[in-house]
Amino acid sequence: MDLDIRSHIINNFKGDDINVLREAIEESIKSNDEITLPGMGVFFELVWEKSDDDMKNRILDILETCVKSQK
């Protein structure tokens, strides 16, 4: 079985606007359902690939702070 999760997720949201993207992200977080993690990972991958080094460092700073603050 050949399953291309990246393409599926990207195609699912290709025509959607910023409000739909925000809602999808917020609902994924709110639901606390691990089934949404691959989609969040694809979104993160897209952001990371389009980010310059300054943005990547900002993202890493945020992630480091968040991970360290988790119990």
Side-chain angles (χ1 to χ4, degrees), residues 4-20:
D4 187 354
I5 293 173
R6 282 178 186 86
S7 293
H8 177 74
I9 291 167
I10 291 168
N11 286 331
N12 254 7
F13 290 95
K14 204 167 224 155
D16 294 335
D17 65 15
I18 194 169
N19 296 316
V20 173

Side-chain angles (χ1 to χ4, degrees), residues 36-69:
T36 63
L37 290 177
M40 297 295 281
V42 171
F43 284 171
F44 182 80
E45 181 181 50
L46 292 171
V47 169
W48 186 263
E49 288 177 344
K50 295 295 183 184
S51 296
D52 62 17
D53 285 339
D54 288 338
M55 179 59 77
K56 286 179 180 178
N57 286 330
R58 288 173 50 201
I59 292 168
L60 290 169
D61 287 342
I62 293 167
L63 284 170
E64 179 183 36
T65 300
C66 292
V67 169
K68 285 182 177 179
S69 70

